[in-house]
Amino acid sequence: MNNKRKTINATIKSIRIIEMIKSANGTRLPDLVQELGYSKSTVHSHLNTLREQGYVTKEGEIYHLSLKFFHLGQYTRDRDERYRLAKQKTEELAEELNQAVDFDVETNGRIITLFHKADESTEIGFTEGDYFYVHTSATGKAILAEFSERRVLEILDQWGMKRKTEHTITDPDELLEDLERTRERGYSIVDQEWLEGLRAVGAVVNLPNGRPLGALSTGAPTYRLTDETIEDEIGPKLVKAANELTEDVSEILQ
């Protein structure tokens, strides 16, 4: 019996075009053709269809994704009561810590920011919808620490371990050791591994079945997130908030 799922090649091509436009922050037709290896006529037909349906816009020679994706993303996020609770906790924690706070989820081996809360004095330059590699993200590490070693290695094999700074962990064994420390502490730490001068702390939020719903994190310049501050204040408060959110989510799922 063949259990392989049926797929439609035309849909896959459209999705790859969309992802390419997103990753390039807008791109031209020749660049899409060269990068994807499709014929010019094929790419052009897909772009025309996406434009007619309102998913792509064209500014001069540059194709961009339209705001239709924003509205779809908002619907996907806001329809789920679990995420409404996560938004509330993100805002509460940002006020309590007086720090930038995020709630992120893992999707297909990457981390995406669903909620970000900061003011002018605590803003660190991240926005809702940003993607991160799991090995460079505090929320990514917090979530990976809940996975089996096999699953962790699968994700690393899928996306690699890109070096963002000289502090980025790029060795799987070193990351596995770091994840073990995360389990022991109860929270993860990213020390300038995504951005020079920035530290972040993350704590996982679990579903009743033990699988991660997502993770909360707070980030700030290294001079604000010292080892002492993390150990005595930030870490415990972050874990407490994550545990409270885990309980809140469990209640609505019962």
Side-chain angles (χ1 to χ4, degrees), residues 86-94 101-103 115 117 216:
K87 180 180 181 181
Q88 179 180 344
K89 183 60 69 176
T90 300
E91 294 172 347
E92 292 173 355
L93 188 59
V101 173
D102 296 310
F103 177 80
F115 303 108
K117 183 65 175 179
L216 288 163

Side-chain angles (χ1 to χ4, degrees), residues 203-205 216 236-248:
V204 71
V205 176
L216 288 163
K237 288 183 177 179
L238 192 64
V239 170
K240 179 174 180 290
N243 289 341
E244 289 173 348
L245 182 53
T246 294
E247 293 176 3
D248 292 342

